[in-house]
């Protein structure tokens, strides 16, 4: 009897849930939500793990439509399966039960991780920490949060993130893209 591969084990779990495999990625589209399960293999020792990615395709489309000196777009929200299991990164290697164990972990932990995002409000609060206080210019997903709030009709709240002073240590790319999103939002506020 041949041992079940990681790919086949994940196919069995993800296929019935609407995920379509392309090489080592399984992708599902739910309305505007893009879910991706990625099987990663270590180049060092051949161990495998799974990373999960999510993004909103309409938010991505809006960001890409904004004229800017750099290309804008959604950076997918990401998580590793091990973090969801017990808070630790986890890799499987040379384990005969590994494919079934990993695919069961995906069923038990990854699918609920994806399914908690159903609305724009979920995205703003869960993916982008809408109510987090502190340094807005330190947010990796500042543009995504601002466009999500715009789509929710909360344009003043979206613009408020750009009012904070830019610290000297801010990532220049975040500042450049943030200013482009800010100008775009201000243009839309004037036209309303």
């Amino acid at each position: 009897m041949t041992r079940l591969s990681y790919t086949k084990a994940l196919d069995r779990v993800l296929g019935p849930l609407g995920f379509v495999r392309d090489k080592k990625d399984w992708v599902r589209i739910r309305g505007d939500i893009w879910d991706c399960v990625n099987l990663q293999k270590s180049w060092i020792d051949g161990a495998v793990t799974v990373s999960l990615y999510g993004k909103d395709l309409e938010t991505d489309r809006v960001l890409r439509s904004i004229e800017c000196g750099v290309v804008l777009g959604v950076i997918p929200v990401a998580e590793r399966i091990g973090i969801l299991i017990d808070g630790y990164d986890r890799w499987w290697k040379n384990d005969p039960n590994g494919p079934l164990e990993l695919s069961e972990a995906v069923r038990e932990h990854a699918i609920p991780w994806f399914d908690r995002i159903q609305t724009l409000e979920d995205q703003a609060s869960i993916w982008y920490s809408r109510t987090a206080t502190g340094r807005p210019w330190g947010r990796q997903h500042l543009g995504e949060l601002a466009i999500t709030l715009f789509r929710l009709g909360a344009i003043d709240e979206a613009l408020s993130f750009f009012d904070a002073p830019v610290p000297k240590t801010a990532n220049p790319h975040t500042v450049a893209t943030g200013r482009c999103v800010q100008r775009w939002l201000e243009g839309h506020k004037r036209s309303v």
Side-chain angles (χ1 to χ4, degrees):
M1 177 176 160
T2 29
R3 190 173 120 189
L4 187 64
S5 71
Y6 286 97
T7 303
K8 288 199 185 306
L10 288 170
D11 277 340
R12 288 182 181 179
V13 167
L14 296 170
L17 298 173
F19 286 84
V20 176
R21 181 167 60 98
D22 180 20
K23 297 178 184 158
K24 299 293 181 185
D25 289 329
W26 286 260
V27 173
R28 168 178 78 171
I29 307 291
R30 300 176 291 131
D32 288 333
I33 307 281
W34 174 89
D35 299 326
C36 179
V37 174
N38 172 258
L39 180 64
Q40 296 177 318
K41 186 173 184 179
S42 170
W43 59 273
I44 297 172
D45 63 5
V48 299
T49 193
V50 162
S51 289
L52 313 170
Y53 301 97
K55 69 179 178 179
D56 186 291
L57 297 171
E58 179 60 15
T59 298
D60 189 55
R61 187 199 64 73
V62 171
L63 277 167
R64 289 181 185 283
S65 75
I66 296 173
E67 291 186 30
C68 192
V70 295
V71 176
L72 297 178
V74 170
I75 299 168
V77 174
E79 191 62 83
R80 279 269 178 81
I81 192 68
I83 301 303
L84 296 177
I85 294 169
D86 58 11
Y88 297 98
D89 199 8
R90 189 178 281 219
W91 292 77
W92 286 260
K93 181 180 182 203
N94 294 332
D95 178 355
N97 296 322
L100 288 175
E101 195 178 293
L102 178 58
S103 64
E104 204 43 48
V106 167
R107 180 192 324 273
E108 186 178 333
H109 300 283
I111 301 309
W113 184 82
F114 289 125
D115 289 346
R116 68 194 179 134
I117 302 298
Q118 300 293 325
T119 65
L120 287 171
E121 288 87 357
D122 294 340
Q123 291 175 41
S125 64
I126 297 169
W127 278 354
Y128 307 133
S129 304
R130 178 182 192 174
T131 58
T133 58
R135 308 172 20 221
W137 289 103
R139 290 173 179 254
Q140 178 184 16
H141 297 282
L142 179 59
E144 290 96 323
L145 173 59
I147 296 302
T148 301
L149 293 173
F150 166 78
R151 291 179 62 204
L152 283 167
I155 196 165
D156 288 330
E157 182 182 353
L159 282 166
S160 73
F161 286 101
F162 301 104
D163 291 339
V166 178
K168 292 178 183 175
T169 57
N171 180 314
H173 184 265
T174 301
V175 175
T177 59
R179 292 301 185 209
C180 291
V181 171
Q182 178 185 20
R183 283 190 294 277
W184 186 87
L185 289 169
E186 287 169 344
H188 276 77
K189 184 175 178 175
R190 284 191 295 274
S191 66
V192 174

